[in-house]
Amino acid sequence: MFDVAVFGSLFLTLFVIMDPPGITPIFLALTSGRPAKVQRKMAGQAAAVAFSVIAVFGIGGQQILDYLHVSVPALMIAGGLLLLLIALDLLTGKNDEPTQTKDVNVALVPLGMPLLAGPGAIVSVILAVQHARGIGDQVAVWTAIAAMHVVLWVTMRYSLLIIRVIKEGGVVLVTRLSGMMLSAIAVQQIINGVIQVAHTA
C-alpha cells in the first residue's frame, strides 16, 4: 500500500533542499530580458532536467558514483564551484553569451543542475530509494519526487508574473540580490563538502 509517511518525509525533505520559494528570484534573474514564451519554456525545461537527473540517480545513483570513483563531498564541492561562477556573473552583470545558447544553458545549468538537482537532493533520493521496502514504499518515494518537481515547475512558471510588477529596474535589483544569495549558497556548499572530506580523512 501507498505509504503516506514515506511520501511526506521525502517531499518535505526535498522541499527544504530544493526550496521553491527561494528559487523564484534566481529564476527571474537568470531569465530576465527574454520573451515570456521563452521564459515559460525554460521553467519547464529546468524542472524536466532536474527530474531526469534525480530519476537517474534514484535508479542507479550509488552505482554511478562508485563507478566514477566520485564521492558525495566531491560532488558538493564541484556543484558549489559551478554555482559560484554563475553567481559572479549575476553580481557583475556579465551577459555576453548569444541568446539561443544562453537559453539552453540556463535551463540545463545552473537551474536544472546543480541548483535544483543538487548534491543534497541527489543524496536524499538515493537514500530514500535504498530504504524503501516493498512496492508501496517505492511508489510513495517516486510520487514524492514527481510531486516536488510539479511544485517547482508551477513556482517558476508563475513567478514570471512578478516581472510585470517590478519592471526593468526591479529585475536589475533582483539580479544583484540573487547573485549575492547564490554566492552564499555556493560557498556554503563548498564548505559542507570540505567538512565532509575532513571528517572522512
Side-chain angles (χ1 to χ4, degrees), residues 60-71:
Q62 194 59 57
Q63 291 82 358
I64 293 172
L65 293 179
D66 291 343
Y67 178 78
L68 296 174
H69 303 290
V70 174
S71 65

Side-chain angles (χ1 to χ4, degrees), residues 6-31:
V6 171
F7 171 86
S9 176
L10 181 57
F11 182 84
L12 289 176
T13 299
L14 291 177
F15 190 92
V16 170
I17 293 173
M18 302 176 94
D19 190 17
I23 204 67
T24 298
I26 296 173
F27 175 78
L28 292 176
L30 291 172
T31 61

Side-chain angles (χ1 to χ4, degrees), residues 31-97:
T31 61
S32 64
R34 296 175 175 82
K37 183 178 180 180
V38 174
Q39 291 174 316
R40 288 192 293 268
K41 181 180 178 181
M42 290 173 67
Q45 286 178 334
V49 168
F51 177 79
S52 300
V53 172
I54 291 292
V56 167
F57 278 94
I59 294 171
Q62 194 59 57
Q63 291 82 358
I64 293 172
L65 293 179
D66 291 343
Y67 178 78
L68 296 174
H69 303 290
V70 174
S71 65
V72 173
L75 193 65
M76 295 176 70
I77 294 172
L81 290 172
L82 182 58
L83 289 180
L84 188 57
L85 290 174
I86 302 296
L88 291 175
D89 278 348
L90 291 178
L91 283 169
T92 57
K94 289 182 179 177
N95 198 9
D96 301 327
E97 292 183 90

Side-chain angles (χ1 to χ4, degrees), residues 153-166:
W153 173 75
V154 170
T155 302
M156 291 186 290
R157 169 71 173 75
Y158 290 99
S159 67
L160 301 177
L161 296 175
I162 299 174
I163 293 180
R164 300 178 186 175
V165 177
I166 63 177

